[in-house]
Amino acid sequence: MRKTTKRRAPRSEYTSPNQLSLSGFETPFYNQLAPSNRWVVLSKQIPWDDLVNMYSKRNPPKATGRPALNPRVLIG
């Protein structure tokens, strides 16, 4: 009997919020979120780069197995 494989969404790598962005390459939600939204304000107060670096030191990427989730998703 043939086993079917599930199609899963691709994993995104961590991108620092401090990275420069190019105009025209924003996500669909980029212009729809209000800067005064409580979740947007909170996300700007969290030191994401420091948290991701600490997480990555404790959990280095493995060569085999399923790719890891984006650390920002796990921490959030």
Side-chain angles (χ1 to χ4, degrees):
M1 181 177 241
R2 185 175 175 187
K3 186 176 182 180
T4 60
T5 59
K6 293 181 182 178
R7 293 179 49 116
R8 299 183 189 270
R11 303 277 185 216
S12 62
E13 296 293 322
Y14 173 72
T15 304
S16 173
N18 298 326
Q19 182 175 347
L20 296 176
S21 61
L22 298 173
S23 61
F25 291 96
E26 296 91 7
T27 63
F29 302 108
Y30 183 76
N31 295 325
Q32 294 178 359
L33 294 175
S36 61
N37 183 309
R38 63 183 175 160
W39 297 109
V40 174
V41 172
L42 179 63
S43 72
K44 290 180 182 176
Q45 294 176 353
I46 297 174
W48 290 109
D49 290 335
D50 296 335
L51 291 173
V52 168
N53 287 335
M54 289 187 328
Y55 176 81
S56 297
K57 286 179 185 176
R58 296 281 313 211
N59 300 304
K62 298 188 176 25
T64 60
R66 186 174 182 180
L69 288 173
N70 184 335
R72 188 168 169 168
V73 172
L74 294 170
I75 295 167

